[in-house]
Amino acid sequence: MLGMSTLTSAQVELQEQQPPPSTEPAVELPKERLTVDDMLQKYCGEFGPWQLKNFVLVNLSWTLEALHIMVVIFADHEPQWRCVEGVACDRAGKSVCELKPGSWEWVEGRRSSTVAQWDLICGDKYKVGLAQAMFFLGSMMGSAIFGYLSNSALGRKRTLALVSSLNATFGLLTAVSPYYWTYVLLRFLTGISSGGNSVSTFVLATEPIGPTKRGVAGMSSFYFFSGGIAILSGMAYTFRPWRELYIASSIPSLVFLVAVLPFVSESPRWYLVRGKLDEAMKVMKSIAKCNGKHLPEGVILLLDQEAFNKDDRGSGHKHEEKGSFVVLIRSPITRIRLLLAMSISFVGAIAYYGLSLNVVNLKTNLYLSVLLNAVAETPAYTITAALLGRLGRKGIGVGTFWLSGGFCLIGSLLRSHGKWKVARMVCGIMGIFGMAGNYNFLFLYLEELFPTAVRNTAMGCATLAIQMGAVLAPFVVVLGGGLAFGVFAVCGLVGGSLVFFLPETVNKPLYDTMAGMELGQRTSPGGA
């Protein structure tokens, strides 16, 4: 005990002789704070193996979207019929409505399509268009609902998971619809879930890509949609009964949900604007590592408004900007852009869907016609992507709209018989060519026009306008002849004119916040 007391006293004496510890605060190493775009360009890589994998996996959802939208071309088509042997029947009649009931029958039976299943002909023919219209009405609601959810706490990835599961569920239930009105209800519900797919998919696929690579990558998204239409043609040829076709076109959504989506990452931009800096940095470090790059420890993310406003830099990861429709229309900049974007989306959808659905008027092999229609869209994506950097967003927007509108205008002046019939068909193909390139380009332009905080809300509104145009498109097709082409021509010419009022966004930052965008407008001459 004495030894311990002596030792303790000695230790105390030694400690008293040592100089007191410094009271000055430890100096932290300076941190480099960068926006997402700057960090991608400087350290992580703008488009490497990580972005390629994420881009392909996410965009597979576009392929599934094509199955759910375009399945009605085959499921709701009017099949071939024939006269019943031994019964007086005039096969030369233009329609079965002119024949005596019981004198004719469907060649492939009542299971071949919904038209044959529920006799949606003659006085009930309008029900075919009604079912299609209800799908797009559902899509209008889904665009607004899921556009908001993907911007809020649900996020891009979880929203995509939700809509994929709902698409598969409603699609499988549609296959066992006992009555026509049950079928209509389930198509409406499928439309709601499908409406949220395009918004979440495009944003989730392109937000982690650097600014100089984002344009070309975004323009490549619709290859997956066209590929889905081509796959659907093969499915429909293999599974002729409409119920089997709905099952075949719904199961891939379940496969995507289980086997693909777990390997997809949430957007680092969404994490950042939601105040989740740690999660955002994990994604950025993963991008750098997969791309063979090195992200220094002292580098962290900041919002673009902090980059412009040094007084706001102290907020750090606690900052969170919540996007909503009210915030979107409160700013004069985004309010005007939103009105223009919705108007452009509306007229573009009438022309695109109208020209696409017009394939049934070609009176050729339906499976082959749909396949060729999908293949014809592919060069439009390639050409517009190649010219995107040279002509800019506005140049591509105006050019594709006017190209389509011009050919549709010529088509409206041509006759529909004889040698002019072929010429009108060519005009229709060129019209689809122009609108396919425009439809692909439009989502990229919308993404760049609005900051991350309200981007999905804005794209949800634009998608809502697209669905409104899609609802009207079948009714325009019913007009037939030169009148339908005339409507498509007006849509193309008006759409191109409206693009003139939007700003150029090529090589401009992808803003995160409303404040960052407004500050960028003031510091960039003619900024976007």
Side-chain angles (χ1 to χ4, degrees):
M1 292 293 294
L2 181 62
M4 291 181 63
S5 297
T6 305
L7 181 61
T8 302
S9 300
Q11 289 176 340
V12 170
E13 183 178 357
L14 181 61
Q15 290 177 357
E16 290 178 349
Q17 293 176 357
Q18 293 177 349
S22 174
T23 58
E24 296 181 3
V27 179
E28 295 184 2
L29 293 176
K31 293 182 178 179
E32 185 180 9
R33 305 194 65 194
L34 300 173
T35 63
V36 174
D37 279 347
D38 290 338
M39 189 175 290
L40 288 171
Q41 288 183 304
K42 189 172 183 179
Y43 293 114
C44 301
E46 293 190 75
F47 193 83
W50 190 97
Q51 286 98 337
L52 177 61
K53 182 197 74 171
N54 187 75
F55 183 80
V56 171
L57 293 181
V58 172
N59 276 311
L60 288 175
S61 184
W62 275 116
T63 303
L64 306 180
E65 183 74 0
L67 303 183
H68 293 293
I69 293 177
M70 299 300 182
V71 65
V72 295
I73 295 179
F74 301 100
D76 296 351
H77 81 285
E78 183 174 329
Q80 295 181 348
W81 57 274
R82 65 190 172 195
C83 293
V84 177
E85 294 184 7
V87 179
C89 173
D90 182 12
R91 187 64 180 84
K94 295 181 179 179
S95 171
V96 294
C97 300
E98 302 174 1
L99 300 178
K100 186 177 180 179
S103 64
W104 61 276
E105 63 182 2
W106 301 110
V107 173
E108 298 182 18
R110 301 181 68 86
R111 299 170 58 249
S112 58
S113 78
T114 60
V115 173
Q117 182 81 61
W118 295 304
D119 292 326
L120 306 181
I121 56 175
C122 304
D124 287 333
K125 192 173 183 177
Y126 75 94
K127 291 183 178 180
V128 177
L130 178 61
Q132 296 175 5
M134 290 301 294
F135 173 88
F136 288 115
L137 284 173
S139 295
M140 290 170 57
M141 296 178 59
S143 298
I145 294 172
F146 291 105
Y148 171 77
L149 290 177
S150 61
N151 254 349
S152 64
L154 195 59
R156 279 80 158 119
K157 179 179 177 179
R158 283 182 290 184
T159 298
L160 185 57
L162 178 59
V163 298
S164 297
S165 60
L166 291 176
N167 274 338
T169 302
F170 294 142
L172 292 173
L173 289 175
T174 303
V176 295
S177 301
Y179 309 107
Y180 166 78
W181 291 109
T182 308
Y183 176 77
V184 172
L185 174 61
L186 288 169
R187 284 302 291 169
F188 173 74
L189 294 175
T190 307
I192 292 179
S193 55
S194 296
N197 183 84
S198 57
V199 176
S200 301
T201 299
F202 190 84
V203 173
L204 186 59
T206 56
E207 277 190 338
I209 298 175
T212 64
K213 308 295 184 182
R214 191 180 305 120
V216 175
M219 292 291 287
S220 303
S221 296
F222 276 76
Y223 285 115
F224 293 86
F225 190 84
S226 296
I229 298 176
I231 292 172
L232 179 63
S233 299
M235 280 186 175
Y237 186 80
T238 304
F239 303 97
R240 298 297 181 92
W242 71 272
R243 295 184 188 276
E244 294 181 12
L245 179 58
Y246 267 105
I247 294 175
S249 61
S250 299
I251 289 178
S253 291
L254 290 177
V255 177
F256 175 82
L257 184 66
V258 176
V260 176
L261 207 52
F263 299 97
V264 172
S265 173
E266 179 58 87
S267 168
R269 297 180 187 272
W270 179 80
Y271 279 136
L272 186 60
V273 298
R274 297 296 298 181
K276 299 180 179 182
L277 180 60
D278 292 340
E279 289 85 347
M281 285 302 303
K282 286 181 181 178
V283 177
M284 299 304 291
K285 290 177 181 178
S286 176
I287 295 174
K289 182 178 179 180
C290 185
N291 290 346
K293 305 285 185 178
H294 174 65
L295 183 60
E297 289 297 327
V299 181
I300 60 175
L301 288 168
L302 83 163
L303 293 168
D304 49 15
Q305 74 176 60
E306 298 173 337
F308 286 110
N309 187 0
K310 295 182 180 180
D311 295 334
D312 193 41
R313 291 192 177 187
S315 60
H317 70 281
K318 297 296 183 181
H319 185 283
E320 176 181 340
E321 178 166 335
K322 297 182 179 180
S324 67
F325 181 73
V326 175
V327 174
L328 184 62
I329 63 174
R330 185 180 297 161
S331 168
I333 298 175
T334 53
R335 181 169 62 246
I336 294 173
R337 291 184 182 183
L338 181 64
L339 291 174
L340 287 171
M342 292 184 68
S343 300
I344 292 169
S345 300
F346 177 72
V347 296
I350 293 177
Y352 176 77
Y353 283 106
L355 289 167
S356 297
L357 293 175
N358 207 40
V359 68
V360 297
N361 293 327
L362 297 178
K363 303 300 180 182
T364 57
N365 183 286
L366 184 60
Y367 307 99
L368 181 59
S369 297
V370 174
L371 176 62
L372 293 177
N373 193 41
V375 173
E377 295 182 3
T378 304
Y381 304 150
T382 305
I383 294 174
T384 50
L387 297 177
L388 192 61
R390 186 173 302 176
L391 299 181
R393 286 18 172 187
K394 290 181 68 172
I396 292 293
V398 174
T400 52
F401 259 123
W402 284 3
L403 175 68
S404 178
F407 275 101
C408 288
L409 180 61
I410 296 173
S412 68
L413 303 176
L414 299 177
R415 299 176 182 178
S416 59
H417 56 82
K419 60 181 180 180
W420 300 109
K421 184 177 181 179
V422 177
R424 174 175 282 184
M425 182 184 67
V426 172
C427 288
I429 293 175
M430 292 304 298
I432 292 176
F433 176 87
M435 288 312 305
N438 181 274
Y439 199 73
N440 178 32
F441 145 85
L442 182 62
F443 278 85
L444 170 66
Y445 204 6
L446 291 176
E447 182 183 42
E448 295 177 339
L449 285 171
F450 300 95
T452 304
V454 295
R455 181 171 300 125
N456 270 32
T457 302
M459 294 186 70
C461 292
T463 306
L464 180 69
I466 289 175
Q467 304 305 337
M468 292 174 62
V471 170
L472 292 179
F475 297 101
V476 176
V477 173
V478 170
L479 297 175
L483 189 56
F485 269 97
V487 174
F488 301 147
V490 171
C491 290
L493 297 176
V494 170
S497 300
L498 291 175
V499 173
F500 269 116
F501 296 96
L502 288 173
E504 180 58 71
T505 59
V506 64
N507 294 329
K508 299 293 183 180
L510 195 62
Y511 295 109
D512 294 319
T513 63
M514 298 289 288
M517 183 191 68
E518 292 171 355
L519 289 168
Q521 287 280 299
R522 293 198 293 266
T523 58
S524 176

